[in-house]
Amino acid sequence: MSLTDRIAKGLEAGWKVTDASTLTDNQTHEADVVIIGTGAGGGTTAEILARAGLSVILVEEGRLYYQKDFKMDELTAYASLYQEGMSRVTKDGAIAILQGRCVGGSTTVNWTSSFRTPEPTLSYWADNFGLENLRPEAMKPWFDGREERHTVSPWLTDPNVNNDILRQGCDKLGYSWNVIPRNVKGCWNLGYCGVGCPTNAKQGALTTTIPGALDNEARLFHGLRADKLVMKQDRIDHLVASAMSADTVTPSGVKVHLKARHFVVAASAIGSPGLLLRSDIPDPHHRIGKRSFIHPVNATVARMPEKVDPFYGAPQSIYSDEFNFREGVDGPAGYKLEVPPLHPAMSSGVVPGHGEEQRDNLKQLPWMQSVIALLRDGFHPDSPGGTVSLRDDGSPVLDYPVTDYLWDGLRRAFHTMAEIQFAAGAEQVRLMHLDSPWFNSWSEARAAIDELPMELHRVRLFTAHQMGGCGMGENPQQSVVNGFGEHHHVSNLSIHDASIFPTSIGANPQLSVYALAARNSTRLAGKLKG
Amino acid sequence: MSHLPHDQESPSTIDRRSFLRAGLGGTLFLGTVSVTAGLSGCATAPAGRLDAADTPVDEGYRFQFLTRDDIELFQALLPAIVGPALMEEPEPRRQAIAGTIERIDQGIVQFGPANQQELRKLFDLLNFGLTRVTVARVWSSWPNATTAEVDAFLERWRTSGIGLLNNGYIALTKISNVAFYGHPQHWHLSGYPGPPPWAMQALPQFNNA
């Protein structure tokens, strides 16, 4: 158990960290490399380049929050740590998008699940996108290295009841399950990963690679929004960025110009295509923003006879891949089964309802258990993904049509989740669907799920994993970057985040981002030093 | 399917659906309402600080997004959305509603410009008399609407076959439920004891001495 706060100590020791809301004058800075985004990809890149002796500037639109700010409070955390104050949705409003907006990005607020990219996914990429160098055996050392860097290992403590019910249900039905590897060190098993780890146990970018970069002379600007990469001939010359006011949502008017030899964009699968589109980066085949994937998530809740206390304990420790690749990598949509933590604000926003019904729903929270299914999108012609485009104000928005192929997967996932919950002893089960009552038995639920309309808005859909939009591939007509994250057309631009995934992953993506960013940054460091 | 709540396909529902889908659908329609609402004298500026005499809302709080009309709207909506969970005594009930409206305002400020614009369209549609009657089918002005009328309105939007209205239902109930049930004073309603006291005692960020 370490209460050492790396951030507080580093700031005291004189790290070069600038809160852009305090800037009063326009200014220009220069470095070898400017990195946009401080999440899984940006943090990894910054540490590796800075350790290689390159000068690095990190740019983060969100603010720097750390242990002193992490008080296990939902409302404060959702307002400050998440994109659009936790109100981000797809273009038609039908899918809620959970995504971090702070130093450390989504790794500051994720539930610590750390899976390697599944082998069938890497093989599919090699076979379909020419990414031969990403075959499982080639990627293994990078996963090994990142698991060590982020202290990833299977959770050896007993799962909380919420997760144990998924295990029990799978056991009863003969479905496979396993223990989730987590990136934690000295975890107190509290259950507040989603609102900023209060104990510094979570080994996300905020407590590992960001301090590692800052220890090696990297400079960090937070509260600074990357507006536009400006080209000079065929290279990027500088980044124009806007300082945000202390309110975090309004630009203060101060502009910062950042010049560099090389630019690494790691602003997420929504932010990175957005920045490239705003910058008019050469895109002869109109690939930027296309093939965006989200692991569409649907959910069921169960009322259990015994207390679950789903707000306490490591939020995710058990998963099932029984249905993930069962029908083949490119068959009917597969899904991974996991469990979400349930705190009051999140639950009251996710469980649809109002009035007496909602009061009665939430009254049961201590006995409530939930299962989520994460659909593996992007592996089938009928799952082409969504599109990131720009709103009139230049901000990015994701349009994600839910195809019949996905609806079929969502309906099957509803079946599986309800079946598992009843098998584990649930008294009642309800779908996160506007038309779903509480079902009293598996047979009742099974019959109803076949009939319920699978329609946008009626089915409550979520995503915590945004991927694609700047896909990698060897063919420039079908991709934005090559297998090293290097832009096909602009020689001093790399992309180091989940936006380069050519499909979804089929697992929580943070370790995939860490590993690819480490691999690609190591190569980039060699090139820039050479 | 008969045992599941489902959209009642009355002729007026079908008329309304084709009306919305033909020509005036979606955002365009809502955008038109926003402009019309502004021109016809609806409150369009954030309410700022309100006089105590004017409103039951705390005069110390400065509203940054919600207008006076929005505040009246939520004063009508909240008794139907979270009302059954509220205490009966008038003063605590008044305070709980006022506090929830303030937190709704605080939350929306952090939503940023794009989603604020979407909510502005939705609130204007509900505040503007013509669309309140035709789209929400609420005949009384919000301050005069009974909780039963408001509940019926919410139920219509929830069960509607029009995704846009379902979306409106989700938006209204989600921001209200989160602002209400997420507040420490209301945690007991969901049986949530709060963060473990032993952890708060052990952690430096809770030592404010």
Side-chain angles (χ1 to χ4, degrees), chain A residues 249-261:
Chain A
V249 287
T250 326
S252 70
V254 171
K255 294 280 183 189
V256 178
H257 286 222
L258 299 173
K259 293 172 75 76
R261 291 158 60 200

Side-chain angles (χ1 to χ4, degrees), chain B residues 57-74:
Chain B
V57 170
D58 175 12
E59 71 261 38
Y61 180 78
R62 192 174 66 83
F63 283 90
Q64 295 184 71
F65 179 80
L66 296 180
T67 66
R68 282 163 181 265
D69 286 346
D70 300 337
I71 293 168
E72 287 187 351
L73 170 68
F74 277 100

Side-chain angles (χ1 to χ4, degrees), chain A residues 257-315:
Chain A
H257 286 222
L258 299 173
K259 293 172 75 76
R261 291 158 60 200
H262 199 91
F263 292 81
V264 176
V265 175
S268 88
I270 293 175
S272 293
L275 176 60
L276 266 57
L277 288 169
R278 280 198 300 277
S279 307
D280 286 321
I281 294 296
D283 186 22
H285 307 289
H286 305 285
R287 297 316 306 158
I288 298 174
K290 306 287 166 53
R291 287 187 64 82
S292 291
F293 302 106
I294 59 169
H295 285 156
V297 169
N298 60 342
T300 58
V301 292
R303 192 162 59 85
M304 303 305 294
E306 308 292 335
K307 266 199 171 183
V308 177
D309 286 347
F311 27 76
Y312 292 148

Side-chain angles (χ1 to χ4, degrees), chain A residues 70 87 192 198 312 354-355 458, chain B residues 81 115 151 166 169 192 194 205:
Chain A
F70 298 152
S87 75
Y192 293 84
Y312 292 148
H354 72 275
R458 313 201 73 67
Chain B
I81 296 176
N115 283 343
D151 179 64
N166 301 154
Y169 171 80
Y192 171 60
Q205 62 267 46

Side-chain angles (χ1 to χ4, degrees), chain A residues 116-129 131 291-296 323-325 327-336 374-386 400 403 405-406 467-468 501-507 512:
Chain A
R116 294 182 176 207
T117 317
E119 295 195 354
T121 300
L122 291 174
S123 302
Y124 184 85
W125 291 356
D127 295 341
N128 291 274
F129 300 94
L131 299 167
R291 287 187 64 82
S292 291
F293 302 106
I294 59 169
H295 285 156
F323 301 91
N324 205 356
F325 292 95
E327 314 264 0
V329 68
D330 55 359
Y335 44 91
K336 191 179 196 77
L374 299 84
L375 265 71
R376 198 163 45 74
D377 51 343
F379 293 82
H380 188 278
D382 294 335
S383 177
Y400 191 92
T403 59
Y405 169 88
L406 293 173
M467 298 156 285
F501 299 165
T503 63
S504 72
I505 291 283
S512 299

Side-chain angles (χ1 to χ4, degrees), chain A residues 353-373:
Chain A
H354 72 275
E356 261 178 67
E357 181 203 9
Q358 186 70 343
R359 178 199 62 190
D360 294 343
N361 284 333
L362 293 168
K363 204 161 66 179
Q364 307 173 24
L365 190 63
W367 294 268
M368 217 185 261
Q369 194 273 343
S370 181
V371 178
I372 52 177

